[in-house]
Structure formats: structure tokens, C-alpha cells
Amino acid sequence: MMRVDDLVEQIAPLQRSDLEDWIRDELIEPRQDAKTLLFTDMECARVRLICTLRYELEIDADTLPVVLSLIDQLYDTRQRLRSLTAAVMMQDKSVQAAIIAAMERDGGSSAADEA
């Protein structure tokens, strides 16, 4: 867990006022311990991501929540795919083969392709 001052010191381009804005806008959700805000490793990584988006890629502050939402959706999809893959791998070889065959028949088409 890292405190605000440590985080601002560790991430060179990070401005404390920006961090406070991101917390207020709920882009980052640190834990509160007494009067101190604490950031988990995951939250620290999110702050670094936001810094990259904001300072290096120059994503507008108003656009930032949309970009982060899309990144969160992608992360969630990847996690679900990992879970699905693990579930498939626990099945009998015949079930695995049937799933692979169905996927090959589908050819990777999506709902967007059908529209």
C-alpha cells in the first residue's frame, strides 16, 4: 500500500491536483485508513496508466473516463476468456474437440458480422 505523497513522488509527471481530480471523479478508488488515502498495487498501476494516457498520449480529461471504461471492459473480457479457457480445459477431450469444432465452424464471426 502506498500513500499519496509516496505515489506523487514515485511517478515523475504526476501532479497531486490531477490525482485529487481523478479520485474525485472516481477514476481511482484508494482506500481510506484513518485520515490517509492508501493505494493498492492495482491502483498504483491504474494511476500509471492514467498518467500515460493523460500526459504522454494527451488524452483529454473529458475523454479519459470513456477510454478507461473501454480498457476496463477489455480487461474484464480477457479475464472471462481465461476463465472460459480453464473451464474448457477441465472437460473431457471429446467435449474439448466439440467446442473447437464449433468455434471453427463459426469461423470467428460475431454478432456485428451478422447485422
Side-chain angles (χ1 to χ4, degrees):
M1 298 285 243
M2 191 176 296
R3 294 186 334 254
V4 171
D5 293 336
D6 298 329
L7 190 60
V8 171
E9 182 179 314
Q10 188 177 59
I11 302 174
L14 180 58
Q15 301 295 313
R16 187 181 186 104
S17 60
D18 287 339
L19 181 61
E20 291 168 353
D21 289 345
W22 301 338
I23 293 168
R24 184 195 65 235
D25 295 340
E26 298 179 350
L27 300 178
I28 304 165
E29 298 176 2
R31 295 185 181 152
Q32 181 107 22
D33 182 36
K35 295 182 179 180
T36 304
L37 293 177
L38 298 172
F39 297 83
T40 63
D41 289 343
M42 185 69 88
E43 286 297 324
C44 291
R46 188 169 179 90
V47 170
R48 285 185 188 89
L49 170 63
I50 294 171
C51 286
T52 298
L53 294 170
R54 187 73 182 103
Y55 303 136
E56 293 177 31
L57 299 177
E58 300 178 358
I59 301 292
D60 184 69
D62 294 334
T63 307
L64 198 55
V66 175
V67 173
L68 286 171
S69 174
L70 293 171
I71 290 171
D72 291 342
Q73 289 175 44
L74 180 59
Y75 178 79
D76 183 57
T77 300
R78 289 178 65 193
Q79 291 299 103
R80 288 172 176 261
L81 182 57
R82 284 189 185 114
S83 296
L84 177 60
T85 300
V88 169
M89 296 307 295
M90 293 174 61
Q91 302 304 311
D92 293 330
K93 294 293 180 190
S94 62
V95 173
Q96 291 179 25
I99 292 170
I100 291 169
M103 289 173 61
E104 288 173 353
R105 276 193 309 271
D106 183 45
S109 68
S110 66
D113 294 336
E114 295 171 8

